[in-house]
């Protein structure tokens, strides 16, 4: 079995929750050792959101799986939401993995996608990951609107004809 490690952080999340790339790599390596597997091959995505699957590390990993570069690959993440935060994307990835005889494992959550119960648990966790992402999006949007309405702080580049002086637009 060849472990394919997928650590990922988004910039905000790395700062807020401390899911650093090094910490994820360490946990994945320890997990592989505990399972008696080979050293994992890493496909990192640093500073990439899980809003969609357009991420360079993930794309490279999926291309290598598609080309059957490894015998008996298993994709490993520290948590399910490191892989994706959209239920449809998750289901499509799991189907892709099945089509290429690839397994998926999370260090934190334990489930077996070869059983009906395991697939149900995976889908429920995927739905919660998507819900969490949408709540984050709503909070960011609300905060940006509040800042824009108050005009207290410049949150984008100034409009044509204006300059930013101490974070405030001036004609």
């Amino acid at each position: 079995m060849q472990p394919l490690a997928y650590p990922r952080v988004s910039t905000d999340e790395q700062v807020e929750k401390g899911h650093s790339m090094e910490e994820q790599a360490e946990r994945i390596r320890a997990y592989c050792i505990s399972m008696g597997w080979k050293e994992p091959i890493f496909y990192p995505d640093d500073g990439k959101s899980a809003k969609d699957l357009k991420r360079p590390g993930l794309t490279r990993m999926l291309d290598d799986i598609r080309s059957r570069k490894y015998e008996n690959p298993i994709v490993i993440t520290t948590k399910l939401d490191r892989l994706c935060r959209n239920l449809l994307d998750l289901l499509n990835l799991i189907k892709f993995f099945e089509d290429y005889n690839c397994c998926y494992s999370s260090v934190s959550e334990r489930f077996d996608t070869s059983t009906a119960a395991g697939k149900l648990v995976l889908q429920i966790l995927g739905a919660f990951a998507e819900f969490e992402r949408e709540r984050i999006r709503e909070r960011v949007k609300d905060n940006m609107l509040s800042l824009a309405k108050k005009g207290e702080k410049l949150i984008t580049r100034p409009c044509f004809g204006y300059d930013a002086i101490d974070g405030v637009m001036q004609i």
Side-chain angles (χ1 to χ4, degrees), residues 5-16:
Y6 182 69
R8 180 194 65 80
V9 293
S10 60
T11 305
D12 293 335
E13 192 160 21
Q14 184 175 9
V15 171
E16 293 172 17

Side-chain angles (χ1 to χ4, degrees), residues 12-128:
D12 293 335
E13 192 160 21
Q14 184 175 9
V15 171
E16 293 172 17
K17 296 184 180 177
H19 291 138
S20 72
M21 297 295 275
E22 298 81 22
E23 184 264 343
Q24 289 181 54
E26 184 179 307
R27 290 185 66 206
I28 290 170
R29 280 192 186 98
Y31 181 72
C32 289
I33 290 169
S34 73
M35 299 299 285
W37 296 338
K38 299 176 186 176
E39 173 74 15
I41 296 167
F42 284 86
Y43 293 87
D45 272 324
D46 192 0
K48 301 295 179 186
S49 170
K51 67 180 179 179
D52 58 38
L53 300 178
K54 296 174 185 169
R55 293 172 256 152
L58 180 63
T59 300
R60 272 193 345 273
M61 182 179 67
L62 296 177
D63 287 345
D64 285 350
I65 292 169
R66 187 178 294 111
S67 70
R68 301 185 190 279
K69 184 174 180 176
Y70 307 108
E71 190 174 331
N72 299 320
I74 180 166
V75 173
I76 304 169
T77 60
T78 54
K79 291 176 61 178
L80 177 62
D81 67 3
R82 301 297 84 213
L83 185 61
C84 63
R85 288 184 179 256
N86 177 290
L87 185 56
L88 183 58
D89 287 343
L90 174 63
L91 297 175
N92 286 331
L93 279 173
I94 297 305
K95 174 71 171 113
F96 174 85
F97 294 158
E98 287 174 359
D99 290 346
Y100 289 93
N101 297 319
C102 178
C103 298
Y104 170 71
S105 185
S106 164
V107 173
S108 300
E109 304 103 355
R110 297 294 300 153
F111 46 79
D112 179 357
T113 57
S114 68
T115 67
K119 286 182 181 178
L120 174 64
V121 169
L122 180 67
Q123 291 171 5
I124 290 169
L125 292 172
F128 277 106

Side-chain angles (χ1 to χ4, degrees), residues 123-148:
Q123 291 171 5
I124 290 169
L125 292 172
F128 277 106
E130 182 173 342
F131 172 73
E132 181 182 9
R133 182 187 170 277
E134 288 300 314
R135 294 290 294 163
I136 291 168
R137 186 187 62 77
E138 287 173 356
R139 286 193 301 271
V140 168
K141 181 181 175 186
D142 290 345
N143 289 339
M144 298 285 278
L145 285 173
S146 176
L147 287 171

